[in-house]
Amino acid sequence: MADDQDQAIPVQTVEEPLDLVRLSLDERIYVKMRTDRELRGRLHAYDQHLNMILGDVEETVTTSEIDEETYEEIFKTTKRTIPMLFVRGDGVILVSPPMRTAT
Amino acid sequence: MLFYSFFKSLVGKEVVVELKNDLSICGTLHSVDQFLNIKLTDINVTDPEKYPHMLSVKTCFIRGSVVRYVQLPADECDTQLLQDATRKEAAQNKQR
């Protein structure tokens, strides 16, 4: 049959954790990173180190301050958007589909 | 070697490298190596508070391991090509 010519893409079964990441290519994902950072963006590329390229990214940085009088922890978030971003894998903690509270 | 090849395709473009110590450096990508070490030329610092006094520095070598992000020009990135290359690389790594 003519189908046997280009075997560029082999069988795609999910066996190892990185196969789960492969399923999210061209989808929006959530990335938790070290130093209290989170990214939400479209996954365009990744490798075994979890280096990634994300498009239309929103980065959320969470900082906590201690109120001097009440000694309670106040959490603040800072967000910014970046159109195309390379992320070095050694900062990544986890990768997941975006967690939405929508039904 | 996916990202090494990808960065080689971006040589000559302007990028912003954000380091793990919160420094952001804007510059022209001069070269990259297999460790994703980066050489930038014609640099200037972007974020106001987070930069050291590098007024006289025009080019720099950045060790790959200290990079947190590299902000890329979106129109220079072929996302379809990236995704296809990723699938191939993932398949190759699995076969090893």
Side-chain angles (χ1 to χ4, degrees), chain A residues 8 10 16 21 23 47 57 69 75 93:
Chain A
E16 12 171 276
V21 182
L23 298 181
D47 66 6
V57 187
E69 296 148 31
F75 291 100
I93 294 178

Side-chain angles (χ1 to χ4, degrees), chain A residues 62-85:
Chain A
T62 304
T63 54
S64 76
E65 294 174 5
I66 311 281
D67 188 316
E68 288 300 322
E69 296 148 31
T70 67
Y71 292 103
E72 59 175 309
E73 251 186 308
I74 312 164
F75 291 100
K76 287 190 183 167
T77 64
T78 312
K79 295 195 187 194
R80 61 174 170 155
T81 53
I82 302 154
M84 191 69 65
L85 190 71

Side-chain angles (χ1 to χ4, degrees), chain B residues 2-89:
Chain B
L2 203 183
F3 288 101
Y4 171 46
S5 306
F6 170 69
F7 276 119
K8 276 199 289 189
S9 78
L10 286 184
V11 165
K13 307 287 186 298
E14 265 216 12
V15 296
V16 181
V17 181
E18 181 174 324
L19 307 183
K20 292 194 165 90
N21 66 353
D22 289 341
L23 267 50
S24 281
I25 306 173
C26 176
T28 307
L29 183 62
H30 176 272
S31 56
V32 67
D33 69 10
Q34 51 165 328
F35 305 107
L36 306 186
N37 296 327
I38 291 171
K39 264 200 213 167
L40 291 181
T41 57
D42 288 325
I43 62 176
N44 58 83
V45 287
T46 57
D47 289 323
E49 316 149 359
K50 305 179 205 167
Y51 67 89
H53 301 291
M54 291 182 18
L55 294 171
S56 58
V57 181
K58 283 299 153 202
T59 102
C60 66
F61 172 93
I62 302 173
R63 194 185 204 276
S65 61
V66 311
V67 171
R68 182 187 292 138
Y69 304 133
V70 180
Q71 297 177 35
L72 313 161
D75 29 342
E76 300 288 347
C77 301
D78 185 341
T79 57
Q80 201 53 250
L81 189 63
L82 278 171
Q83 289 167 22
D84 292 341
T86 298
R87 283 181 237 271
K88 284 201 192 131
E89 175 103 346

Side-chain angles (χ1 to χ4, degrees), chain A residues 7-76:
Chain A
Q7 294 273 320
I9 304 176
V11 179
Q12 311 228 339
T13 54
V14 175
E15 288 163 352
E16 12 171 276
L18 282 179
D19 298 333
L20 283 177
V21 182
R22 176 177 27 90
L23 298 181
S24 294
L25 264 180
D26 202 29
E27 306 284 341
R28 292 198 71 82
I29 56 165
Y30 163 82
V31 182
K32 185 192 227 296
M33 294 182 59
R34 305 181 70 182
T35 60
D36 297 312
R37 287 164 199 266
E38 298 161 289
L39 298 172
R40 288 174 195 276
R42 184 170 297 275
L43 180 64
H44 292 300
Y46 70 91
D47 66 6
Q48 68 271 35
H49 305 295
L50 256 31
N51 294 326
M52 292 182 282
I53 298 207
L54 299 176
D56 292 320
V57 187
E58 181 196 68
E59 180 204 36
T60 306
V61 185
T62 304
T63 54
S64 76
E65 294 174 5
I66 311 281
D67 188 316
E68 288 300 322
E69 296 148 31
T70 67
Y71 292 103
E72 59 175 309
E73 251 186 308
I74 312 164
F75 291 100
K76 287 190 183 167

